[in-house]
Amino acid sequence: MPSRILILDFGSQFTQLIARRVREAGVYSEIHPPTRSAEWIREWNPTGIILSGGPNSVYDEGAPTVPAQVLDYAPTLGVCYGMNLIVHLLGGEIAPADRREYGRAELIVDDSDTLFDGFAPGEPTPVWMSHGDQVRVMPSGFEVLAHSANSHIGAFRHRSRPIYGVQFHPEVVHTPRGGELIENFLFGVCKATPSWTTSKFIEEEVARIRDTVGSARVICGLSGGVDSSVAAALVHRAIGSQLTCIFVDHGLLRLHEREQVEKTFRAHLGIELITIDASDRFLAALAGIEDPEEKRRRIGHLFIDVFEDAAAAAGQDARFLVQGTLYPDVIESAAPHGGPSVTIKTHHNVGGLKPGMKFALIEPLRELFKDEVRRVGRELGLPETIVGRHPFPGPGLAIRILSDITREKIDVLQRADAIYLEGIREAGLYDDIWQAFAVLLPVRSVGVMGDYRTYENVVALRAVTSLDGMTADWFPFPHDVLGRISNRIINEVRGVNRVVYDVSSKPPATIEWE
């Protein structure tokens, strides 16, 4: 049986990064809530178990926990809260730290045992801390592996059982050698084998899709973005001509998006493609709506109506709908697998689907991160013009207009966004940026044009770098590039007299504004 790691999610914002690091090492992983029964966990038969961090204290009333016998089922690594929970379950003592520890810290390795194989004892290594509690008394049988200035027990192990704990977060990029530590746990402690590959995923998913679909007709909601394109290509490999792609022009696309999508897909994929102009229906449904969650809900419901109408008009009795839902979509919309992580925002293709719709969903990419999706797309033979595109949300410009939706506002934002992306490409920076887009703000500002006072719209520009969309940093544009783009937008887009640049990272901000 292939190796697989069970990650129990206690609510950390970084839990999904643990899954990424494990998969990057070539080992399959799944995230599940700690409410899974001990029997379920034993039958799942994990090669190893990782207990994530979380916002609680183990002594809080109702704090999430797991049965102590779970620690007997497989080698276990506790991260932050997970480490504290191991201590709590096995009779040690956790207490509030004299000084809370957040951000960068120096960890001193005391014993380069299996978990710290390759780390020099006594040599400091940077780590990322995020805790207010600390281990006061270790349970019987444990020994210290590392410490920091504020945590005299920064990592520990059991002397005879494969149980480890670290007070810091090895999964984040701010812990430079965190990936090395996780690999030590996977291969040194768990004896896992690296069998999780892109080819293996495609092979297994194609078989699963064929088994699920049988001889039924399938439609795919194609947006032209990376996610839906890869999903379409994967399903097409599985069932061929049983798939029909439907591209819905909801009137909220980027400038010339419809023409580009039609040209690219008919040229490269050879999949039957139906284009539906539903812009009037969507704009009518969004009239007067400002709340972003309501926008997402209405768009999601109307998409289903349009797909059902299109399938009926084409004379196809489709039973399945393919969507390019990704893991970050699921994570931000709701806690993964019912876990304690909080909802950030509803994604129209996750929480916004219409109750009672006639389609059963096929979401072949639901457990993948964006970079994994790009690798799948390349292996399926999709061109770089598709695979390398910046993400574009299903609700389109509706969530980049921070007020009610009108055709005039869409026109302003389309033209500003097109100039922005053109300027990025001309500067040779497009591939250095994870995602870039313009936002139309619900404010006006005073300006001067041709000696006349103006009172017009403000456009915000956003550009971020990221690996997976779970965390992101704002992109440090050369000032001259940003200046040229701003100049062009103000001069060429009637109705805009001010441009601002967003320098917020995720977290605390999200990538999109709504």
Side-chain angles (χ1 to χ4, degrees):
M1 181 178 179
S3 299
R4 54 184 188 169
I5 301 298
L6 175 64
I7 301 167
L8 295 178
D9 176 21
F10 292 95
S12 169
Q13 62 180 316
F14 302 132
T15 300
Q16 295 74 32
L17 295 181
I18 300 175
R20 268 191 51 79
R21 301 297 174 248
V22 173
R23 291 186 189 180
E24 285 172 353
V27 180
Y28 181 71
S29 63
E30 284 187 17
I31 299 173
H32 287 270
T35 51
R36 294 294 191 193
S37 68
E39 180 182 2
W40 184 95
I41 294 172
R42 181 170 50 79
E43 291 180 355
W44 200 82
N45 194 25
T47 307
I49 298 172
I50 299 179
L51 310 179
S52 84
N56 298 95
S57 294
V58 293
Y59 45 76
D60 286 346
E61 183 177 352
T65 188
V66 293
Q69 65 261 40
V70 167
L71 302 178
D72 296 325
Y73 295 161
T76 301
L77 172 65
V79 175
C80 205
Y81 179 87
M83 175 183 182
N84 294 346
L85 183 59
I86 290 171
V87 173
H88 185 66
L89 292 173
L90 298 182
E93 182 184 340
I94 299 295
D98 296 332
R99 189 182 69 185
R100 296 185 299 174
E101 198 169 17
Y102 295 100
R104 298 181 189 276
E106 295 290 328
L107 186 79
I108 306 297
V109 176
D110 300 305
D111 183 350
S112 58
D113 111 307
T114 305
L115 192 66
F116 287 98
D117 185 31
F119 290 72
E123 184 177 310
T125 183
V127 297
W128 186 262
M129 295 282 190
S130 180
H131 66 97
D133 293 340
Q134 63 181 198
V135 180
R136 188 63 53 85
V137 178
M138 288 192 300
S140 175
F142 280 80
E143 61 186 4
V144 176
L145 293 178
H147 70 277
S148 71
N150 194 50
S151 297
H152 64 287
I153 304 174
F156 64 31
R157 70 172 177 191
H158 193 278
R159 292 190 182 92
S160 59
R161 299 167 66 187
I163 302 174
Y164 292 79
V166 293
Q167 190 68 78
F168 55 94
H169 287 275
E171 67 272 26
V172 302
V173 295
H174 307 295
T175 301
R177 300 186 69 182
E180 190 177 336
L181 183 145
I182 289 174
E183 289 188 7
N184 285 343
F185 174 70
L186 296 176
F187 305 122
V189 178
C190 301
K191 308 303 180 186
T193 55
S195 57
W196 171 249
T197 64
T198 301
S199 298
K200 185 69 172 175
F201 168 80
I202 292 173
E203 177 186 332
E204 292 178 350
E205 198 59 36
V206 163
R208 186 179 296 115
I209 292 167
R210 286 174 179 162
D211 184 60
T212 300
V213 170
S215 60
R217 296 291 305 175
V218 179
I219 63 173
C220 175
L222 189 67
S223 69
V226 179
D227 309 336
S228 65
S229 302
V230 174
L234 184 56
V235 174
H236 188 250
R237 173 167 292 192
I239 61 172
S241 60
Q242 290 170 243
L243 173 69
T244 299
C245 287
I246 297 177
F247 175 64
V248 176
D249 182 353
H250 50 28
L252 298 158
L253 301 170
R254 287 173 287 204
L255 198 64
H256 307 311
E257 181 93 0
R258 174 173 168 175
E259 296 87 344
Q260 291 169 358
V261 168
E262 290 177 328
K263 180 179 178 181
T264 301
F265 275 81
R266 291 195 170 116
H268 291 287
L269 292 183
I271 301 174
E272 182 182 1
L273 177 64
I274 298 173
T275 299
I276 305 294
D277 186 346
S279 55
D280 289 341
R281 293 178 66 178
F282 277 90
L283 291 180
L286 292 170
I289 303 301
E290 297 187 10
D291 179 71
E293 286 293 291
E294 182 62 16
K295 287 179 185 177
R296 291 173 184 271
R297 188 191 69 81
R298 292 191 180 209
I299 288 170
H301 286 195
L302 189 50
F303 261 120
I304 299 304
D305 290 343
V306 172
F307 290 145
E308 290 178 345
D309 293 347
Q316 298 172 350
D317 185 21
R319 289 177 48 202
F320 296 92
L321 171 65
V322 178
Q323 289 201 139
T325 309
L326 301 194
Y327 212 0
D329 300 336
V330 177
I331 294 159
E332 289 193 336
S333 294
H337 308 291
S341 299
V342 298
T343 298
I344 299 171
K345 59 186 175 185
T346 301
H347 286 260
H348 86 289
N349 57 336
V350 180
L353 291 176
K354 186 177 181 180
M357 70 175 186
K358 74 173 188 177
F359 300 117
L361 280 182
I362 296 177
E363 299 173 298
L365 312 177
R366 187 181 176 90
E367 299 296 326
L368 299 187
F369 292 94
K370 179 74 77 172
D371 59 319
E372 294 174 317
V373 172
R374 295 190 199 277
R375 288 201 296 271
V376 169
R378 291 185 178 104
E379 184 127 350
L380 289 170
L382 291 176
E384 199 61 30
T385 52
I386 294 175
V387 178
R389 293 190 72 190
H390 289 181
F392 186 67
L397 301 183
I399 58 170
R400 294 176 180 173
I401 296 173
L402 307 193
S403 60
D404 63 315
I405 309 298
T406 67
R407 288 191 184 276
E408 180 185 14
K409 292 177 183 178
I410 293 170
D411 180 64
V412 168
L413 185 54
Q414 281 180 330
R415 288 184 292 134
D417 189 71
I419 291 169
Y420 183 30
L421 293 179
E422 185 179 318
I424 290 172
R425 289 186 185 278
E426 288 176 349
L429 298 173
Y430 187 85
D431 293 335
D432 296 332
I433 297 171
W434 165 270
Q435 187 173 8
F437 56 89
V439 179
L440 186 62
L441 302 186
V443 294
R444 291 194 169 194
S445 74
V446 173
V448 178
M449 290 183 176
D451 296 327
Y452 287 96
R453 177 186 185 274
T454 62
Y455 187 57
E456 295 181 332
N457 296 294
V458 179
V459 165
L461 304 180
R462 178 78 157 141
V464 297
T465 58
S466 180
L467 289 174
D468 47 40
M470 295 306 303
T471 60
D473 291 319
W474 57 275
F475 182 75
F477 273 112
H479 291 178
D480 61 321
V481 173
L482 211 49
R484 284 198 302 271
I485 291 170
S486 174
N487 252 2
R488 281 196 60 194
I489 291 173
I490 291 172
N491 286 325
E492 298 176 30
V493 181
R494 187 176 295 276
V496 176
N497 69 356
R498 192 178 300 269
V499 173
V500 297
Y501 184 58
D502 181 352
V503 292
S504 309
S505 295
K506 175 187 179 181
T510 54
I511 295 177
E512 295 283 352
W513 278 47
E514 286 195 349

